[in-house]
Amino acid sequence: MSIVVRIDVELAKRKMSVGEFAQRVGITPANVAVLKNGRAKAVRFSTLEKMCEVLDCQPGDLLERVPDEPDPTTLSR
């Protein structure tokens, strides 16, 4: 299972730059990049709440659970 971060989609919908978003949320643009690229290991609820407030969205708009693709070499016939 993977969690995919969809910040870029929400930013594009609002025509908001990463810099503006980072400033309004109170995090660095580098940390936004870490989130967008899926390299983050955790996110504080307070940060998630602020991101949702800035983007006027729900947490589910920013985070999506994607099941892993089955490994075809391990599938039984």
mmCIF file of all heavy atoms in Angstrom, residues 10 27-28 37 41 63:
data_model
loop_
_atom_site.group_PDB
_atom_site.id
_atom_site.type_symbol
_atom_site.label_atom_id
_atom_site.label_comp_id
_atom_site.label_asym_id
_atom_site.label_seq_id
_atom_site.Cartn_x
_atom_site.Cartn_y
_atom_site.Cartn_z
ATOM 1 N N GLU A 10 -4.108 20.010 -6.234
ATOM 2 C CA GLU A 10 -4.877 21.063 -5.568
ATOM 3 C C GLU A 10 -4.263 22.444 -5.825
ATOM 4 O O GLU A 10 -4.994 23.425 -5.983
ATOM 5 C CB GLU A 10 -4.985 20.779 -4.067
ATOM 6 C CG GLU A 10 -5.754 19.507 -3.740
ATOM 7 C CD GLU A 10 -7.170 19.493 -4.284
ATOM 8 O OE1 GLU A 10 -7.871 20.524 -4.196
ATOM 9 O OE2 GLU A 10 -7.594 18.440 -4.802
ATOM 10 N N ILE A 27 5.513 26.396 6.176
ATOM 11 C CA ILE A 27 6.568 25.402 5.983
ATOM 12 C C ILE A 27 7.465 25.879 4.839
ATOM 13 O O ILE A 27 7.108 26.816 4.123
ATOM 14 C CB ILE A 27 6.011 23.987 5.681
ATOM 15 C CG1 ILE A 27 5.151 23.968 4.414
ATOM 16 C CG2 ILE A 27 5.218 23.465 6.869
ATOM 17 C CD1 ILE A 27 4.621 22.595 4.028
ATOM 18 N N THR A 28 8.607 25.252 4.682
ATOM 19 C CA THR A 28 9.527 25.666 3.634
ATOM 20 C C THR A 28 9.112 25.068 2.291
ATOM 21 O O THR A 28 8.498 23.991 2.254
ATOM 22 C CB THR A 28 10.967 25.218 3.939
ATOM 23 O OG1 THR A 28 11.015 23.786 3.908
ATOM 24 C CG2 THR A 28 11.432 25.728 5.299
ATOM 25 N N ASN A 37 6.803 14.855 -3.559
ATOM 26 C CA ASN A 37 7.555 13.768 -4.182
ATOM 27 C C ASN A 37 7.395 12.430 -3.466
ATOM 28 O O ASN A 37 8.017 11.450 -3.853
ATOM 29 C CB ASN A 37 9.038 14.132 -4.279
ATOM 30 C CG ASN A 37 9.260 15.314 -5.194
ATOM 31 O OD1 ASN A 37 8.538 15.489 -6.161
ATOM 32 N ND2 ASN A 37 10.240 16.128 -4.883
ATOM 33 N N LYS A 41 7.930 10.836 5.486
ATOM 34 C CA LYS A 41 7.573 9.662 6.284
ATOM 35 C C LYS A 41 6.392 9.946 7.203
ATOM 36 O O LYS A 41 5.740 9.028 7.676
ATOM 37 C CB LYS A 41 8.773 9.211 7.133
ATOM 38 C CG LYS A 41 9.979 8.816 6.320
ATOM 39 C CD LYS A 41 9.693 7.579 5.520
ATOM 40 C CE LYS A 41 10.910 7.182 4.706
ATOM 41 N NZ LYS A 41 10.620 6.226 3.691
ATOM 42 N N LEU A 63 -4.476 13.426 0.200
ATOM 43 C CA LEU A 63 -3.862 12.116 0.420
ATOM 44 C C LEU A 63 -4.743 11.022 -0.154
ATOM 45 O O LEU A 63 -5.949 11.013 0.062
ATOM 46 C CB LEU A 63 -3.672 11.866 1.921
ATOM 47 C CG LEU A 63 -2.860 12.906 2.689
ATOM 48 C CD1 LEU A 63 -2.923 12.622 4.184
ATOM 49 C CD2 LEU A 63 -1.426 12.937 2.201
#
